[in-house]
mmCIF file of all heavy atoms in Angstrom:
data_model
loop_
_atom_site.group_PDB
_atom_site.id
_atom_site.type_symbol
_atom_site.label_atom_id
_atom_site.label_comp_id
_atom_site.label_asym_id
_atom_site.label_seq_id
_atom_site.Cartn_x
_atom_site.Cartn_y
_atom_site.Cartn_z
ATOM 1 N N ALA A 1 -15.405 8.334 -5.485
ATOM 2 C CA ALA A 1 -14.263 7.795 -6.017
ATOM 3 C C ALA A 1 -13.004 8.015 -5.100
ATOM 4 O O ALA A 1 -12.283 7.064 -4.763
ATOM 5 C CB ALA A 1 -13.894 8.530 -7.470
ATOM 6 N N GLY A 2 -13.054 9.192 -4.441
ATOM 7 C CA GLY A 2 -11.986 9.462 -3.402
ATOM 8 C C GLY A 2 -12.158 8.503 -2.168
ATOM 9 O O GLY A 2 -11.109 8.011 -1.749
ATOM 10 N N ALA A 3 -13.242 8.298 -1.699
ATOM 11 C CA ALA A 3 -13.573 7.506 -0.540
ATOM 12 C C ALA A 3 -13.250 6.160 -0.940
ATOM 13 O O ALA A 3 -12.482 5.367 -0.215
ATOM 14 C CB ALA A 3 -14.878 7.568 -0.041
ATOM 15 N N TRP A 4 -13.529 5.550 -2.108
ATOM 16 C CA TRP A 4 -13.259 4.224 -2.436
ATOM 17 C C TRP A 4 -11.869 4.023 -2.603
ATOM 18 O O TRP A 4 -11.240 3.034 -2.138
ATOM 19 C CB TRP A 4 -13.974 3.770 -3.816
ATOM 20 C CG TRP A 4 -13.689 2.399 -4.159
ATOM 21 C CD1 TRP A 4 -14.532 1.359 -3.695
ATOM 22 C CD2 TRP A 4 -12.739 1.937 -4.947
ATOM 23 N NE1 TRP A 4 -13.957 0.290 -4.252
ATOM 24 C CE2 TRP A 4 -12.765 0.438 -4.926
ATOM 25 C CE3 TRP A 4 -11.614 2.405 -5.594
ATOM 26 C CZ2 TRP A 4 -11.908 -0.365 -5.562
ATOM 27 C CZ3 TRP A 4 -10.595 1.673 -6.098
ATOM 28 C CH2 TRP A 4 -10.957 0.178 -6.268
ATOM 29 N N LEU A 5 -11.106 4.973 -3.273
ATOM 30 C CA LEU A 5 -9.712 4.776 -3.582
ATOM 31 C C LEU A 5 -8.957 4.863 -2.158
ATOM 32 O O LEU A 5 -8.073 4.059 -2.042
ATOM 33 C CB LEU A 5 -9.223 6.024 -4.363
ATOM 34 C CG LEU A 5 -7.724 5.863 -4.815
ATOM 35 C CD1 LEU A 5 -7.274 4.714 -5.544
ATOM 36 C CD2 LEU A 5 -7.285 7.292 -5.490
ATOM 37 N N ARG A 6 -9.183 5.734 -1.328
ATOM 38 C CA ARG A 6 -8.607 5.730 -0.057
ATOM 39 C C ARG A 6 -8.741 4.503 0.784
ATOM 40 O O ARG A 6 -7.755 4.038 1.283
ATOM 41 C CB ARG A 6 -9.309 7.045 0.778
ATOM 42 C CG ARG A 6 -8.497 7.338 2.113
ATOM 43 C CD ARG A 6 -9.033 8.513 2.856
ATOM 44 N NE ARG A 6 -9.219 9.703 1.982
ATOM 45 C CZ ARG A 6 -10.323 10.200 1.439
ATOM 46 N NH1 ARG A 6 -11.511 9.665 1.845
ATOM 47 N NH2 ARG A 6 -10.257 11.224 0.732
ATOM 48 N N HIS A 7 -9.962 3.908 0.851
ATOM 49 C CA HIS A 7 -10.212 2.642 1.468
ATOM 50 C C HIS A 7 -9.507 1.537 0.764
ATOM 51 O O HIS A 7 -8.784 0.794 1.473
ATOM 52 C CB HIS A 7 -11.695 2.400 1.525
ATOM 53 C CG HIS A 7 -12.014 1.149 2.058
ATOM 54 N ND1 HIS A 7 -12.020 0.839 3.489
ATOM 55 C CD2 HIS A 7 -12.249 -0.266 1.581
ATOM 56 C CE1 HIS A 7 -12.357 -0.316 3.725
ATOM 57 N NE2 HIS A 7 -12.449 -1.021 2.760
ATOM 58 N N HIS A 8 -9.523 1.523 -0.657
ATOM 59 C CA HIS A 8 -8.874 0.458 -1.335
ATOM 60 C C HIS A 8 -7.266 0.493 -1.045
ATOM 61 O O HIS A 8 -6.722 -0.670 -0.849
ATOM 62 C CB HIS A 8 -9.134 0.670 -2.813
ATOM 63 C CG HIS A 8 -8.587 -0.369 -3.773
ATOM 64 N ND1 HIS A 8 -9.009 -1.660 -3.778
ATOM 65 C CD2 HIS A 8 -7.539 -0.271 -4.699
ATOM 66 C CE1 HIS A 8 -8.297 -2.327 -4.646
ATOM 67 N NE2 HIS A 8 -7.362 -1.581 -5.296
ATOM 68 N N LEU A 9 -6.757 1.633 -1.136
ATOM 69 C CA LEU A 9 -5.238 1.730 -0.870
ATOM 70 C C LEU A 9 -4.809 1.424 0.511
ATOM 71 O O LEU A 9 -3.893 0.593 0.634
ATOM 72 C CB LEU A 9 -4.779 3.154 -1.426
ATOM 73 C CG LEU A 9 -4.799 3.446 -2.830
ATOM 74 C CD1 LEU A 9 -4.446 4.952 -3.115
ATOM 75 C CD2 LEU A 9 -3.926 2.491 -3.670
ATOM 76 N N THR A 10 -5.573 1.987 1.441
ATOM 77 C CA THR A 10 -5.043 1.856 2.824
ATOM 78 C C THR A 10 -5.426 0.582 3.501
ATOM 79 O O THR A 10 -4.772 0.152 4.393
ATOM 80 C CB THR A 10 -5.546 3.063 3.666
ATOM 81 O OG1 THR A 10 -7.065 2.982 3.744
ATOM 82 C CG2 THR A 10 -5.118 4.314 3.217
ATOM 83 N N THR A 11 -6.463 -0.199 3.066
ATOM 84 C CA THR A 11 -6.871 -1.392 3.712
ATOM 85 C C THR A 11 -6.506 -2.513 2.939
ATOM 86 O O THR A 11 -6.556 -3.732 3.454
ATOM 87 C CB THR A 11 -8.413 -1.362 4.053
ATOM 88 O OG1 THR A 11 -9.180 -1.401 2.797
ATOM 89 C CG2 THR A 11 -8.729 -0.147 4.928
ATOM 90 N N LYS A 12 -6.415 -2.453 1.659
ATOM 91 C CA LYS A 12 -6.035 -3.545 0.679
ATOM 92 C C LYS A 12 -4.657 -3.465 0.148
ATOM 93 O O LYS A 12 -3.918 -4.555 0.164
ATOM 94 C CB LYS A 12 -7.089 -3.663 -0.364
ATOM 95 C CG LYS A 12 -8.544 -3.639 0.146
ATOM 96 C CD LYS A 12 -8.971 -4.944 0.724
ATOM 97 C CE LYS A 12 -10.530 -4.956 0.984
ATOM 98 N NZ LYS A 12 -10.946 -5.796 1.970
ATOM 99 N N VAL A 13 -4.367 -2.500 -0.567
ATOM 100 C CA VAL A 13 -3.162 -2.458 -1.445
ATOM 101 C C VAL A 13 -1.892 -2.315 -0.625
ATOM 102 O O VAL A 13 -1.089 -3.151 -0.707
ATOM 103 C CB VAL A 13 -3.365 -1.256 -2.491
ATOM 104 C CG1 VAL A 13 -1.973 -1.231 -3.322
ATOM 105 C CG2 VAL A 13 -4.470 -1.612 -3.433
ATOM 106 N N PHE A 14 -1.740 -1.270 0.167
ATOM 107 C CA PHE A 14 -0.630 -1.089 0.836
ATOM 108 C C PHE A 14 -0.343 -2.175 1.887
ATOM 109 O O PHE A 14 0.822 -2.660 1.946
ATOM 110 C CB PHE A 14 -0.593 0.331 1.617
ATOM 111 C CG PHE A 14 -0.378 1.509 0.593
ATOM 112 C CD1 PHE A 14 -1.166 2.515 0.717
ATOM 113 C CD2 PHE A 14 0.605 1.357 -0.350
ATOM 114 C CE1 PHE A 14 -1.082 3.748 -0.220
ATOM 115 C CE2 PHE A 14 0.701 2.512 -1.276
ATOM 116 C CZ PHE A 14 -0.172 3.612 -1.100
ATOM 117 N N PRO A 15 -1.287 -2.652 2.571
ATOM 118 C CA PRO A 15 -0.975 -3.881 3.461
ATOM 119 C C PRO A 15 -0.515 -5.156 2.731
ATOM 120 O O PRO A 15 0.307 -5.877 3.330
ATOM 121 C CB PRO A 15 -2.371 -4.207 4.068
ATOM 122 C CG PRO A 15 -3.074 -2.955 4.084
ATOM 123 C CD PRO A 15 -2.685 -2.265 2.744
ATOM 124 N N ALA A 16 -0.837 -5.295 1.404
ATOM 125 C CA ALA A 16 -0.193 -6.366 0.588
ATOM 126 C C ALA A 16 1.395 -6.211 0.597
ATOM 127 O O ALA A 16 2.065 -7.238 0.506
ATOM 128 C CB ALA A 16 -0.700 -6.324 -0.662
ATOM 129 N N TRP A 17 1.842 -4.981 0.705
ATOM 130 C CA TRP A 17 3.383 -4.773 0.521
ATOM 131 C C TRP A 17 3.931 -4.876 1.937
ATOM 132 O O TRP A 17 5.189 -4.929 2.023
ATOM 133 C CB TRP A 17 3.525 -3.298 -0.116
ATOM 134 C CG TRP A 17 3.164 -3.260 -1.505
ATOM 135 C CD1 TRP A 17 1.966 -3.109 -2.092
ATOM 136 C CD2 TRP A 17 3.999 -3.579 -2.565
ATOM 137 N NE1 TRP A 17 2.104 -3.113 -3.495
ATOM 138 C CE2 TRP A 17 3.326 -3.494 -3.789
ATOM 139 C CE3 TRP A 17 5.555 -3.959 -2.636
ATOM 140 C CZ2 TRP A 17 3.915 -3.698 -4.920
ATOM 141 C CZ3 TRP A 17 6.134 -4.079 -3.923
ATOM 142 C CH2 TRP A 17 5.245 -3.886 -4.990
ATOM 143 N N TYR A 18 3.322 -4.792 3.016
ATOM 144 C CA TYR A 18 3.861 -4.752 4.389
ATOM 145 C C TYR A 18 4.697 -6.135 4.432
ATOM 146 O O TYR A 18 4.091 -7.236 4.116
ATOM 147 C CB TYR A 18 2.810 -4.816 5.505
ATOM 148 C CG TYR A 18 1.950 -3.510 5.506
ATOM 149 C CD1 TYR A 18 0.914 -3.563 6.281
ATOM 150 C CD2 TYR A 18 2.324 -2.395 4.751
ATOM 151 C CE1 TYR A 18 0.198 -2.259 6.485
ATOM 152 C CE2 TYR A 18 1.609 -1.308 4.807
ATOM 153 C CZ TYR A 18 0.584 -1.201 5.758
ATOM 154 O OH TYR A 18 -0.324 -0.087 5.712
ATOM 155 N N GLY A 19 5.800 -6.038 4.864
ATOM 156 C CA GLY A 19 6.626 -7.271 4.983
ATOM 157 C C GLY A 19 7.684 -7.424 3.774
ATOM 158 O O GLY A 19 8.568 -8.302 3.948
ATOM 159 N N THR A 20 7.439 -6.541 2.719
ATOM 160 C CA THR A 20 8.332 -6.622 1.733
ATOM 161 C C THR A 20 9.686 -6.088 2.306
ATOM 162 O O THR A 20 9.831 -5.059 2.960
ATOM 163 C CB THR A 20 7.974 -5.698 0.485
ATOM 164 O OG1 THR A 20 6.662 -6.234 0.052
ATOM 165 C CG2 THR A 20 8.976 -5.908 -0.690
ATOM 166 N N THR A 21 10.801 -6.839 1.920
ATOM 167 C CA THR A 21 12.111 -6.331 2.394
ATOM 168 C C THR A 21 12.458 -5.038 1.831
ATOM 169 O O THR A 21 12.400 -4.727 0.688
ATOM 170 C CB THR A 21 13.173 -7.391 1.993
ATOM 171 O OG1 THR A 21 12.881 -8.637 2.537
ATOM 172 C CG2 THR A 21 14.614 -7.068 2.540
ATOM 173 N N TRP A 22 12.889 -4.007 2.834
ATOM 174 C CA TRP A 22 13.272 -2.826 2.379
ATOM 175 C C TRP A 22 14.735 -2.782 2.032
ATOM 176 O O TRP A 22 15.586 -3.452 2.743
ATOM 177 C CB TRP A 22 13.114 -1.789 3.542
ATOM 178 C CG TRP A 22 13.649 -0.346 3.132
ATOM 179 C CD1 TRP A 22 12.905 0.558 2.575
ATOM 180 C CD2 TRP A 22 14.924 0.196 3.332
ATOM 181 N NE1 TRP A 22 13.637 1.766 2.377
ATOM 182 C CE2 TRP A 22 14.957 1.414 2.795
ATOM 183 C CE3 TRP A 22 16.047 -0.311 3.823
ATOM 184 C CZ2 TRP A 22 16.023 2.375 2.801
ATOM 185 C CZ3 TRP A 22 17.176 0.556 3.906
ATOM 186 C CH2 TRP A 22 17.188 1.853 3.399
ATOM 187 N N ASP A 23 15.125 -2.063 0.909
ATOM 188 C CA ASP A 23 16.451 -1.738 0.517
ATOM 189 C C ASP A 23 16.501 -0.453 -0.151
ATOM 190 O O ASP A 23 15.644 -0.115 -0.872
ATOM 191 C CB ASP A 23 17.014 -2.882 -0.400
ATOM 192 C CG ASP A 23 18.498 -2.702 -0.751
ATOM 193 O OD1 ASP A 23 19.325 -2.979 0.017
ATOM 194 O OD2 ASP A 23 18.755 -2.084 -1.846
ATOM 195 N N PHE A 24 17.530 0.334 0.108
ATOM 196 C CA PHE A 24 17.640 1.575 -0.454
ATOM 197 C C PHE A 24 17.630 1.580 -1.944
ATOM 198 O O PHE A 24 17.095 2.525 -2.579
ATOM 199 C CB PHE A 24 19.078 2.313 -0.026
ATOM 200 C CG PHE A 24 19.206 3.658 -0.507
ATOM 201 C CD1 PHE A 24 18.658 4.770 0.091
ATOM 202 C CD2 PHE A 24 20.063 3.988 -1.730
ATOM 203 C CE1 PHE A 24 18.691 6.060 -0.265
ATOM 204 C CE2 PHE A 24 20.179 5.261 -2.094
ATOM 205 C CZ PHE A 24 19.559 6.274 -1.508
ATOM 206 N N ASN A 25 18.059 0.579 -2.554
ATOM 207 C CA ASN A 25 18.071 0.452 -4.015
ATOM 208 C C ASN A 25 17.008 -0.513 -4.603
ATOM 209 O O ASN A 25 16.892 -0.860 -5.700
ATOM 210 C CB ASN A 25 19.430 -0.195 -4.551
ATOM 211 C CG ASN A 25 20.546 0.842 -4.200
ATOM 212 O OD1 ASN A 25 20.482 2.028 -4.642
ATOM 213 N ND2 ASN A 25 21.586 0.416 -3.476
#
């Protein structure tokens, strides 16, 4: 479970958010 989750988050989920505009609020 830990290995799957680590892979899922770092290679699929978080990259989907890359490029989202950052704003403090």
Side-chain angles (χ1 to χ4, degrees):
W4 185 88
L5 182 62
R6 188 175 308 106
H7 179 80
H8 181 71
L9 290 173
T10 61
T11 66
K12 308 279 186 210
V13 174
F14 289 131
W17 287 87
Y18 298 167
T20 305
T21 303
W22 178 86
D23 183 81
F24 183 80
N25 297 305

